[in-house]
Amino acid sequence: MAYEDVEAELLRHPAVRECVVAKIPTPARKASLVAYVVTTGEADPAEIRAFLSAPRLRSGRIPQAVIAVESLPRTGSGEVDREGLPLPVLPGRAAGGKGSLSDLGGGTLTVVMLVPALLIALVAFLTTDSLWPGSTNVSAVPHPWAGLFRGLYVVECLSFGLGIGFLFFGRGRLTRLGRPPWLTTLAHLSIVWLLAAWWPQDNFYRLAAKTDWGRQAALVYGFNVTLMIAAAVLVAFAVRGDREG
C-alpha cells in the first residue's frame, strides 16, 4: 500500500525536511504504520503526529508513531533502505524515539545464525588440536575437573561460532536501532569480538609459559584489554540510545 498522501502531509510541516512512511512489524507481530522524519531542527514527534489530525488525514491514515532520525538510510541506488529503518516504538510508549536493545528480536536473530554458527563451532572444535597441539589435553586432570574443562572447550567453540555468525548476520539488526553508523559499526565488531575471542585466547594462554613475560603481556593486551574496550563500546552504544530515545 502506498502512503504518498501521508508523506505529502508530513512534508507540509515546517520542521520536516524528509520523510518516509511504512508498515513496520512490531515485536507483538502486528504491523504498525510508522513515519520516519528528518527535521530541520528540534521538533516534537508527538506534535508532528498531531499535525496530521483531521481534516488533513482520516484516523486510519495517521501513523501510530513518528520517529525522528538523523537521516534516512539509503541503498546504493539512492532509494530509502526500508530494512535499515529503526524499529517502531512499543505500544504504550510515547510517539517518536529510537529502538532499544530489547527490540532486537533476538529469537529471530538466533534462528538465522544458528546453523552457520554450529557449523563454525564444529570446525573450531575439530581443528583446535591442530592449531594448538596439546592445549586440550586433560589426561593429567583428575575427575570431575577434566569433564568441566572439556565442557569449557565446547562452550568456547560455540561462542566463537556465534561470534562469526553475528559478524555476517547481526549488523542489520543493530542498524535498525537507529544509532549513528560509526557507533553501530563499533558495537557490531565489539559483540563479534566478545563472542569470538575466547576460543583463541584460552588456547594461547594454555600453551604460554607462565614466565614468558613477553608472550603473557602480548596476550593480555591483545585479548584482555581489547575485550574491556569492546565492553566499553557497548556501554556507549546503550547510553547513546538512552539519551536519544
Side-chain angles (χ1 to χ4, degrees):
M1 183 180 294
Y3 300 102
E4 287 88 351
D5 58 327
V6 183
E7 293 170 354
E9 292 298 333
L10 280 167
L11 291 173
R12 293 180 186 274
H13 191 286
V16 176
R17 179 160 51 90
E18 290 183 280
C19 68
V20 65
V21 177
K23 278 277 190 180
I24 304 293
T26 67
R29 300 186 182 277
K30 293 182 180 180
S32 295
L33 189 62
V34 180
Y36 299 87
V37 297
V38 179
T39 61
T40 56
E42 293 295 330
D44 182 6
E47 188 276 326
I48 294 176
R49 184 174 184 273
F51 175 81
L52 300 176
S53 300
R56 293 184 182 276
L57 294 172
R58 55 186 174 86
S59 60
R61 301 291 285 177
I62 298 176
Q64 283 93 335
V66 175
I67 299 180
V69 294
E70 295 179 2
S71 61
L72 296 176
R74 302 281 180 179
T75 63
S77 61
E79 298 180 354
V80 175
D81 180 9
R82 295 178 181 270
E83 291 297 321
L85 292 169
L87 291 172
V89 293
L90 296 174
R93 289 173 59 182
K98 296 187 178 181
S100 66
L101 291 175
S102 62
D103 297 334
L104 268 174
T108 301
L109 181 59
T110 301
V111 171
V112 170
M113 292 194 306
L114 185 59
V115 173
L118 288 176
L119 290 175
I120 294 168
L122 178 61
V123 171
F125 184 79
L126 295 176
T127 58
T128 297
D129 285 333
S130 297
L131 295 172
W132 296 280
S135 68
T136 60
N137 184 358
V138 294
S139 58
V141 180
H143 180 78
W145 312 116
L148 292 177
F149 280 111
R150 290 192 184 97
L152 174 64
Y153 305 154
V154 172
V155 171
E156 288 173 347
C157 292
L158 288 172
S159 181
F160 179 79
L162 286 174
I164 302 304
F166 196 83
L167 175 65
F168 291 101
F169 298 103
R171 194 182 192 283
R173 292 286 180 169
L174 292 179
T175 299
R176 296 186 68 182
L177 294 178
R179 307 312 195 259
W182 65 269
L183 185 56
T184 298
T185 298
L186 288 178
H188 176 221
L189 295 177
S190 294
I191 293 173
V192 171
W193 186 238
L194 284 166
L195 288 169
W198 301 102
W199 176 59
Q201 178 197 37
D202 209 12
N203 283 289
F204 278 124
Y205 267 121
R206 285 194 291 267
L207 295 180
K210 300 299 182 183
T211 55
D212 187 346
W213 303 116
R215 189 170 185 179
Q216 290 288 342
L219 290 173
V220 167
Y221 280 91
F223 287 99
N224 298 47
V225 173
T226 56
L227 286 168
M228 295 176 198
I229 294 172
V233 168
L234 292 184
V235 170
F237 185 79
V239 170
R240 179 68 177 258
D242 289 342
R243 287 178 177 174
E244 297 186 358

